[in-house]
Amino acid sequence: MSQAIVFDVPFASTDDHRAKEDVCLDLWQRAIGYVNHVLETDEQLDIVQFRAKTHPSIEELLSAIGHADALLKLMATAEGLTHSAANALLNCSRAIGTLQCTFIAVVKQDKEEYDRCIAELNLILSGSI
């Protein structure tokens, strides 16, 4: 996501703020689940098998990532985002972007880029970035 996410509420003080924060935190948890799944797949399959055995297909996953990115961009423009919600959206954006990079590397069978993306997913999962 190229646009900045701006939070205008320091903490959730209303039901609306809490609802937006809950949605953003749920999106972040889902993104972490996808990161975990890709890392588990990486442990079991090499890059060639990853492309051949992945279901849904890599192309379908890339399409889903496009939809997720559009949702994140929409959420980033919402008023009343708390600091926690904005942070969750930033984390989601980084994870989604790295997943996209990983899948593109699988399509291109670019092992060097794939390994770089997997290393970045591990950093995301560890909370180091």
Side-chain angles (χ1 to χ4, degrees):
M1 178 176 359
S2 59
Q3 71 187 54
I5 299 172
V6 179
F7 67 95
D8 55 358
V9 178
F11 59 90
S13 59
T14 68
D15 289 340
D16 182 53
H17 296 154
R18 281 186 285 282
K20 287 177 186 165
E21 193 171 89
D22 288 346
V23 167
C24 293
L25 292 172
D26 183 54
L27 288 171
W28 173 230
Q29 289 304 311
R30 286 176 181 257
I32 284 297
Y34 298 134
V35 167
N36 271 320
H37 187 70
V38 167
L39 291 173
E40 289 169 3
T41 301
D42 173 63
E43 289 178 12
Q44 298 172 5
L45 305 174
D46 65 25
I47 192 170
V48 174
Q49 294 169 323
F50 197 126
R51 172 135 174 107
K53 294 185 177 184
T54 301
H55 183 73
S57 72
I58 297 296
E59 291 74 16
E60 290 169 315
L61 292 170
L62 283 168
S63 176
I65 283 174
H67 294 298
D69 188 51
L71 175 62
L72 290 174
K73 286 177 181 172
L74 179 65
M75 292 292 296
T77 64
E79 291 183 15
L81 287 180
T82 64
H83 177 268
S84 181
N87 191 47
L89 289 177
L90 286 170
N91 289 336
C92 281
S93 180
R94 177 171 286 129
I96 293 297
T98 305
L99 287 168
Q100 181 179 36
C101 172
T102 304
F103 296 143
I104 290 171
V106 169
V107 168
K108 293 180 177 180
Q109 293 293 286
D110 183 341
K111 178 77 167 118
E112 186 177 317
E113 180 66 3
Y114 173 80
D115 289 342
R116 189 196 65 74
C117 293
I118 292 296
E120 190 171 329
L121 289 175
N122 276 302
L123 289 173
I124 289 169
L125 189 61
S126 72
S128 297
I129 59 172

